[in-house]
């Protein structure tokens, strides 16, 4: 039995380039036919519907993996063929003689195997490079067209391309296997027998948060947690942002749904760059939508006007450092805050509303960012926080230096040392003016509605004039040593008139409240003050034990005047009927008091007198005593 000729191991790289056309018909337009050994291998390049930027890295990686698997199957088939030939030689016992044509074919097969190993290594390296960047997270610079093309793959184009790729791969596999068959007959591999690939991992980004990529012109903020009701902005500039959104919206229902998305926390991490706010918003589908909100940046002249207005007032810089935006700074002639129609939303969803609910949710969450840090608004307008603060610092230093140069140094105030140390004699004081005989009458004060009482002002002015006159004539102010309570009693007692009128009641109420007493206590104290001055008030408020002498001789004197025997108690002598009382003061005077019988409610009466009988003279007839 003649040995089988060596199998030609031809890969797709060994075939001519014109035999590998690129076919991109839909899957349903290509019937599945068994591939023959004579048919050329077809390499199908899957493309997404509507994607004009070329195949995705994932599709190219799958094509390279399928090609590598086909070559692996060809290598396995060649190994089995060589093993069968070795067994046949072992059974025959002797190696048959081969002609020159067989030796040439064996040498050519060895060369092809070496080339095949080199090509396989190159393809493995290319697959590793493609897989390293095939599933990378989308960057902030990715435009909306790329996201829409990826969505087109997910909506059906990927399935069609995959089907076409499976057909092309199956054809190439069958050709390779047919060439290595011992019988040389072509073998067809049906589409269903192709090895199933693992499902492609989801390309949905988990988060846009990338703090490592942040800088002065790029800031990433974590997603806000869900909130329950309330407004999204608490400052006036945050509310201005929300007003610009709501006044420029064309559909209030979309705004309401966007507010609900924002309150539920469906907005992912937010990235802010000059003129752009970017985030992924989770809608009703599993795959979130990529949302952008654009805002025109300020030009150089606008920034110059803004910086000059901020430097003019130190309070503006202090407010910015405190994360606040003064209204006067925002109204400096520069369109810092957006107006209706200035916000330009873009979303990868099929909704063409202005804005859609996903863009509205991003705008509402952006208002929270502006609330916490107004420098986010400045970044949207084109400059970062550090850049703005550095510019303000330079301008402020320049203005301070210019002001210091323009201001002339003032001469230092002072006198020469010789003049300060020279001996000087002060002139004698002028003679004092003669003392007036009595205090002058104060001017009349008009009554003003809801103003102070003019009569009370006149009273205070008169009292102040009397104290000043006494101090000028005697050099002493006895009233200055009185307590608050005694001074209040003195002021009330010095008011002219008698009886509790409406004006007097108001004065008593004010003075009693200031001294912490009741008006009744103040009225009793005023009666004691009018009876005997400060000593009379002391007799009213103080009880003491007088020494033997004049107090003991008072009872016999009262009996000699045909008065009943008074009951002694400390410095008090009380009538047996309980309506008259004598009090002995420390100054040796007797003070008479009256009360209703049995009430023990004593009020000062009469005038003080050294004789107890004389103190009772003005209290009534002898029948009452």
């Amino acid at each position: 039995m003649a040995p089988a000729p060596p199998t030609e191991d031809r890969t797709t790289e060994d075939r001519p380039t014109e035999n590998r056309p690129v076919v991109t018909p839909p899957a349903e337009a290509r019937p599945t036919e068994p591939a023959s050994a004579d048919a050329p291998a077809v390499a199908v390049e899957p493309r997404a519907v509507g994607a004009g930027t070329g195949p995705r890295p994932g599709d190219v990686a799958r094509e390279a993996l399928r090609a590598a698997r086909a070559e692996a199957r060809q290598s396995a088939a060649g190994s089995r063929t060589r093993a069968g030939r070795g067994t046949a030689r072992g059974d025959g016992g002797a190696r048959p003689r081969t002609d020159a044509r067989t030796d040439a074919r064996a040498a050519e097969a060895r060369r092809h195997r070496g080339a095949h190993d080199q090509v396989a290594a190159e393809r493995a390296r290319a697959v590793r490079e493609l897989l390293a960047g095939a599933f990378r997270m989308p960057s902030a610079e990715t435009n909306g067209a790329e996201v829409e093309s990826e969505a087109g793959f997910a909506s059906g184009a990927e399935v069609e391309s995959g089907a076409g790729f499976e057909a092309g791969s199956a054809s190439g596999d069958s050709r390779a296997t047919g060439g290595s068959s011992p019988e040389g007959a072509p073998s067809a591999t049906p589409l269903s027998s192709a090895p199933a690939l693992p499902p492609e991992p989801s390309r949905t980004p988990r988060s846009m948060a990338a703090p490592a990529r942040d800088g002065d012109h790029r800031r990433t903020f974590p997603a806000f947690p869900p909130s329950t009701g309330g407004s999204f902005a608490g400052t006036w500039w945050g509310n201005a942002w929300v007003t610009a959104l709501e006044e420029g919206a064309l559909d209030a229902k979309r705004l309401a749904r966007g507010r609900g998305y924002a309150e539920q926390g469906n907005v992912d991490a937010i990235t802010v760059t000059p003129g752009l706010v970017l985030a992924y918003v989770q809608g009703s589908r599993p795959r979130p939508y990529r949302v952008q909100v654009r805002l025109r940046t300020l030009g150089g002249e606008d920034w110059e006007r803004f910086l000059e207005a901020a430097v003019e007032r130190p309070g503006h810089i202090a407010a910015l450092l405190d994360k606040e935006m003064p209204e006067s700074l925002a109204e400096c002639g520069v369109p810092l805050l957006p107006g209706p129609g200035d916000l330009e939303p873009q979303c990868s969803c099929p909704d063409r509303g202005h804005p859609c609910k996903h863009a509205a949710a991003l705008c509402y969450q952006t208002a929270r960012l502006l609330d916490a840090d107004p420098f986010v608004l400045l970044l949207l307008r084109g400059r970062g926080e550090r850049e703005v603060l550095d510019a303000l610092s330079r301008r402020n230093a320049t203005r301070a230096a210019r002001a210091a140069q323009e201001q002339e140094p003032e001469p230092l105030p002072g006198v020469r040392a010789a003049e300060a140390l020279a001996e000087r004699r002060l002139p004698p004081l002028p003679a004092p003016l003669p003392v007036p005989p009595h205090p002058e009458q104060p001017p009349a004060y008009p009554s003003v509605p809801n103003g102070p009482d003019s009569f009370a002002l006149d009273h205070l002015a008169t009292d102040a004039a009397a104290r000043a006159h006494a101090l000028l004539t005697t050099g002493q102010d006895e009233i200055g040593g009185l307590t608050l309570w005694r001074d209040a009693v003195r002021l009330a007692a010095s008011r002219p008139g008698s009886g509790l009128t409406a004006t007097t009641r108001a004065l008593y109420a004010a003075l009693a409240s200031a001294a912490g007493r009741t008006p009744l206590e103040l009225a009793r104290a005023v009666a004691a003050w009018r009876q005997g001055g400060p000593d009379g008030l002391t007799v009213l408020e103080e009880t003491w034990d007088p020494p033997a002498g004049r107090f003991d001789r008072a009872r016999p004197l009262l009996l000699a005047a045909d008065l009943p025997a008074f009951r002694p108690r400390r410095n008090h002598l009380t009538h047996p009927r309980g309506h008259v009382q004598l009090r002995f003061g420390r100054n040796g005077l007797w003070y008479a008091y009256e009360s209703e019988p049995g009430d023990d409610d004593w009020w000062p009466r009469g005038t003080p007198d050294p004789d107890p009988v004389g103190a009772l003279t003005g209290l009534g007839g002898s029948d009452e005593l």
Side-chain angles (χ1 to χ4, degrees), residues 352-367:
R352 291 297 175 257
H354 184 83
C356 67
K357 49 187 174 294
H358 312 102
L362 176 57
C363 289
Y364 279 121
Q365 295 294 54
T366 305

Side-chain angles (χ1 to χ4, degrees), residues 193-394:
S193 64
L197 293 176
E200 183 181 359
S202 174
R203 296 172 59 89
T204 302
R206 294 185 178 179
S207 176
M208 283 293 297
R213 301 174 58 188
D214 286 357
D216 193 32
H217 287 173
R218 173 190 170 93
R219 297 181 63 182
T220 302
F221 302 90
F224 287 98
S227 61
T228 55
S231 60
F232 286 90
T235 59
W236 71 269
W237 60 88
N239 287 319
W241 175 277
V242 175
T243 302
L245 165 67
E246 295 177 348
E247 291 183 356
L250 301 180
D251 189 356
K253 295 183 178 180
R254 285 187 173 90
L255 284 181
R257 295 192 63 184
R259 177 183 288 270
Y261 280 173
E263 292 176 350
Q264 296 169 9
N266 289 13
V267 181
D268 198 6
I270 302 176
T271 300
V272 181
T273 57
L276 178 66
V277 181
L278 173 67
Y280 279 84
V281 179
Q282 183 67 50
S284 58
R285 298 182 179 180
R287 183 187 184 92
Y289 299 101
R290 189 173 187 270
V291 185
Q292 297 179 356
V293 177
R294 296 186 179 275
L295 183 64
R296 184 182 66 86
T297 58
L298 299 179
E301 296 181 358
D302 291 338
W303 275 111
E304 288 295 325
R305 288 199 300 270
F306 174 79
L307 295 175
E308 286 296 330
V311 172
E312 285 181 359
R313 298 184 184 178
H316 288 168
I317 302 178
L320 289 176
L321 293 176
D322 291 339
K323 304 299 182 181
E324 295 181 0
M325 177 64 68
E327 292 190 38
S328 57
L329 182 59
E331 297 173 355
C332 62
V334 179
L336 192 61
L337 292 168
D342 291 348
L343 301 178
E344 300 177 3
Q346 296 180 6
C347 183
S348 61
C349 71
D351 189 2
R352 291 297 175 257
H354 184 83
C356 67
K357 49 187 174 294
H358 312 102
L362 176 57
C363 289
Y364 279 121
Q365 295 294 54
T366 305
R368 291 184 175 180
L369 296 181
L370 300 181
D371 235 17
D373 189 356
F375 282 100
V376 177
L377 180 60
L378 300 181
L379 177 58
L380 276 173
R381 286 301 190 180
R383 295 196 180 183
E385 178 178 359
R386 179 50 52 194
E387 184 178 3
V388 172
L389 293 180
D390 290 346
L392 291 177
S393 177
R394 289 192 299 269

Side-chain angles (χ1 to χ4, degrees), residues 479-488:
I479 301 175
L482 298 179
T483 62
L484 177 62
W485 165 243
R486 286 179 171 263
D487 193 34

Side-chain angles (χ1 to χ4, degrees), residues 474-523:
T474 63
Q476 297 179 356
D477 184 15
E478 298 179 357
I479 301 175
L482 298 179
T483 62
L484 177 62
W485 165 243
R486 286 179 171 263
D487 193 34
V489 173
R490 182 191 65 83
L491 286 175
S494 63
R495 186 181 183 87
S498 60
L500 291 177
T501 62
T503 307
T504 305
R505 287 192 182 94
L507 177 63
Y508 279 23
L511 292 176
S513 176
R517 301 292 183 94
T518 62
L520 181 60
E521 293 177 341
L522 179 60

Side-chain angles (χ1 to χ4, degrees), residues 429-435 472:
L429 295 175
L433 297 176
V435 179
L472 184 61

